[in-house]
Amino acid sequence: MIDNQALLLDLTYEVTFGVPAVITTKSGAVIPCLILDHRDGVNVTAARGRQTVLVPGTNAEDANVFVRHSQCPDKPSGGTIVINGETTGYRIKSAKQKGANGIGEWQLQLEEIRP
């Protein structure tokens, strides 16, 4: 059976919008991955200019990123993530599953780690 969702999502992450990140799970496992970064919504350039659009089901106050199940098979809640080598890290407050049976994404809600 062809995994159409994986075919579409893999291109989105690897070719178009993927940003490198490193997730450290509660158990200490380190997972390098590509994420879709929606911490500030999504910038869209349209005929009327540039605007920021929120991912459906998210709040403007929340920092959200998405990671493929294939790159992070276990629920990463409680771990940490560093995005694109930034010095600021984030704690993963929650992970909502988008998809089923290991196909799809995790929607991670983040909280900035303050020193």
Side-chain angles (χ1 to χ4, degrees):
M1 181 162 87
I2 296 174
D3 183 357
N4 290 321
Q5 187 176 23
L7 290 173
L8 295 173
L9 285 175
D10 287 347
L11 286 174
T12 301
Y13 278 83
E14 294 172 15
V15 178
T16 313
F17 301 111
V19 175
V22 177
I23 294 174
T24 304
T25 64
K26 287 193 299 188
S27 65
V30 176
I31 304 168
C33 57
L34 291 173
I35 62 161
L36 299 183
D37 185 359
H38 295 291
R39 290 177 289 172
D40 296 320
V42 181
N43 289 319
V44 178
T45 302
R48 296 183 184 199
R50 190 174 178 98
Q51 61 183 348
T52 299
V53 178
L54 289 177
V55 173
T58 63
N59 296 319
E61 303 82 39
D62 295 336
N64 288 278
V65 298
F66 292 80
V67 63
R68 294 272 294 125
H69 283 163
S70 61
Q71 292 191 334
C72 184
D74 297 323
K75 189 172 185 175
S77 294
T80 60
I81 187 170
V82 175
I83 301 168
N84 207 17
E86 295 174 0
T87 56
T88 302
Y90 293 88
R91 185 173 296 105
I92 302 170
K93 289 177 22 177
S94 68
K96 296 178 187 173
Q97 187 172 357
K98 304 291 186 181
N101 302 323
I103 298 171
E105 308 168 284
W106 294 108
Q107 177 183 344
L108 308 180
Q109 185 181 9
L110 308 178
E111 172 181 66
E112 188 175 343
I113 297 173
R114 306 220 182 234

